[in-house]
């Protein structure tokens, strides 16, 4: 198990929080409003709310209409002599999305990471890549996946690992946390509330904390896949803290 713990330091666990590009649909330039209205027509096949309501509730899901306000990360280090596992965690949430993505890109370039997220291959990674391009930021090596063979891409997905080849099966992060007896990250807010917490309550700090809780849950689920207990004890160092 010590060898496994030592290899954990190659994995960067992450989660992102996204919101609509602006608070209200009418704040968008006319051309953008027209594009969203076309998107809303598709959504209204199953949701009867008007385009403005759908924009506030749904735009953050789409990289074309939303933006990233927080990226949470976590990684392990292991001290073999002390048999001590340490988990370091940090959030990136700059004044602008461009600043957030630049800081995150700098982290990705520090070493040859293997990225791990829940549903990361379908959501987090594509979203980050698209928003980097929108912000005119070159993709770092670990995110340059076009044309690569599957085994050349250093990405792990806790949802994909749980599917075991079942492409139709979707399992929420919180359900997996329940299965493996891992404390829920949904204390106070959940993903559906992020737009409101950001625009209506101006509480980015709360979103940061929620994002980092999701990252830790993802990391613990990955450990649970290796047969380790969901409540495995390890030291947690929050690098956002001024004391660290």
């Amino acid at each position: 198990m010590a060898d496994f713990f030592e290899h954990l330091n190659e994995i960067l666990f992450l989660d992102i929080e996204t919101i609509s590009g602006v608070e209200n649909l009418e704040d968008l330039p006319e051309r953008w409003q027209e594009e969203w209205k076309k998107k809303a027509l598709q959504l209204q096949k199953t949701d009867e709310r008007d385009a403005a309501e759908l924009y506030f509730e749904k735009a953050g899901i789409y990289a074309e209409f939303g933006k990233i306000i927080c990226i949470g990360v976590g990684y392990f280090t292991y001290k073999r002599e002390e048999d001590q596992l340490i988990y370091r965690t940090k959030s990136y949430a700059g004044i602008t999305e461009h600043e957030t993505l630049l800081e995150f890109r700098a982290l990705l370039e520090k070493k040859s990471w293997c990225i791990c997220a829940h549903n990361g291959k379908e959501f987090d990674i594509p979203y980050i890549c698209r928003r980097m391009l929108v912000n005119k930021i070159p993709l770092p090596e670990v995110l340059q996946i076009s044309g690569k063979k599957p085994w050349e891409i250093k990405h792990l997905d806790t949802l994909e690992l749980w599917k075991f080849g079942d492409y139709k099966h979707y399992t929420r992060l919180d359900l997996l946390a329940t299965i493996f007896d891992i404390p829920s990250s949904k204390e106070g807010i959940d993903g559906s509330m992020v737009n409101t917490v950001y625009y209506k309550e101006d509480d980015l700090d709360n979103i940061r904390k929620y994002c980092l809780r999701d990252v830790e849950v993802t990391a613990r689920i990955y450990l649970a896949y290796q047969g380790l207990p969901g409540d495995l004890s390890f030291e947690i160092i929050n690098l956002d803290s001024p004391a660290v």
Side-chain angles (χ1 to χ4, degrees):
M1 189 55 70
D3 290 339
F4 167 73
F5 285 155
E6 286 184 337
H7 284 104
L8 273 178
N9 67 0
E10 301 172 359
I11 301 175
L12 183 70
F13 298 93
L14 70 82
D15 182 59
I16 66 174
E17 301 304 329
T18 65
I19 57 171
S20 55
V22 294
E23 182 175 358
N24 301 302
L25 178 61
E26 57 266 29
D27 296 332
L28 287 173
E30 185 176 346
R31 184 177 181 184
W32 276 101
Q33 290 188 42
E34 291 304 313
E35 288 298 329
W36 175 256
K37 288 175 182 177
K38 293 174 185 176
K39 182 68 175 179
L41 287 174
Q42 301 173 15
L43 299 176
Q44 286 166 339
K45 293 177 182 179
T46 57
D47 192 324
E48 296 181 352
R49 287 177 292 182
D50 63 30
E53 289 180 284
L54 287 170
Y55 178 79
F56 188 81
E57 296 295 331
K58 301 288 187 181
I61 299 173
Y62 306 100
E64 297 82 3
F65 297 99
K67 62 183 179 182
I68 296 171
I69 55 162
C70 183
I71 303 176
V73 300
Y75 60 94
F76 289 99
T77 55
Y78 178 66
K79 297 181 179 180
R80 182 183 282 265
E81 293 180 359
E82 295 89 351
D83 190 28
Q84 183 182 17
L85 188 63
I86 301 171
Y87 174 76
R88 288 178 171 83
T89 186
K90 179 177 176 60
S91 63
Y92 295 86
I95 297 174
T96 65
E97 182 186 46
H98 188 270
E99 180 182 341
T100 298
L101 292 171
L102 275 181
E103 291 179 356
F104 178 62
R105 187 183 190 277
L107 172 68
L108 293 182
E109 292 189 316
K110 284 186 176 180
K111 62 182 290 184
S112 182
W113 294 105
C114 176
I115 296 175
C116 182
H118 189 73
N119 200 29
K121 291 185 179 181
E122 288 288 332
F123 183 73
D124 302 72
I125 302 304
Y127 205 114
I128 291 170
C129 292
R130 291 164 184 158
R131 294 310 301 174
M132 279 190 173
L133 295 182
V134 169
N135 281 273
K136 298 178 175 57
I137 298 174
L139 297 179
E141 177 64 27
V142 71
L143 296 182
Q144 293 180 18
I145 60 180
S146 179
K148 290 186 178 179
K149 298 178 176 62
W151 56 88
E152 295 175 329
I153 300 172
K154 298 178 66 176
H155 297 170
L156 291 170
D157 189 325
T158 49
L159 173 60
E160 182 182 72
L161 292 170
W162 183 250
K163 285 182 175 181
F164 292 96
D166 181 357
Y167 294 102
K168 302 183 295 298
H169 195 74
Y170 179 84
T171 309
R172 295 169 52 249
L173 183 72
D174 209 38
L175 175 55
L176 286 173
T178 300
I179 291 170
F180 291 108
D181 199 24
I182 297 168
S184 172
S185 59
K186 310 302 190 261
E187 297 176 6
I189 67 171
D190 61 40
S192 67
M193 301 166 63
V194 170
N195 226 48
T196 297
V197 172
Y198 183 80
Y199 282 121
K200 305 297 185 184
E201 301 175 14
D202 191 25
D203 195 352
L204 181 58
D205 187 56
N206 197 7
I207 295 171
R208 280 179 181 261
K209 292 175 181 176
Y210 163 63
C211 185
L212 291 181
R213 290 197 299 268
D214 261 1
V215 179
E216 183 183 341
V217 169
T218 301
R220 287 187 176 278
I221 287 172
Y222 181 77
L223 295 180
Y225 289 170
Q226 320 307 318
L228 294 167
D231 61 351
L232 180 71
S233 178
F234 46 75
E235 181 182 358
I236 298 176
I237 299 176
N238 185 346
L239 298 177
D240 290 335
S241 171
V244 177

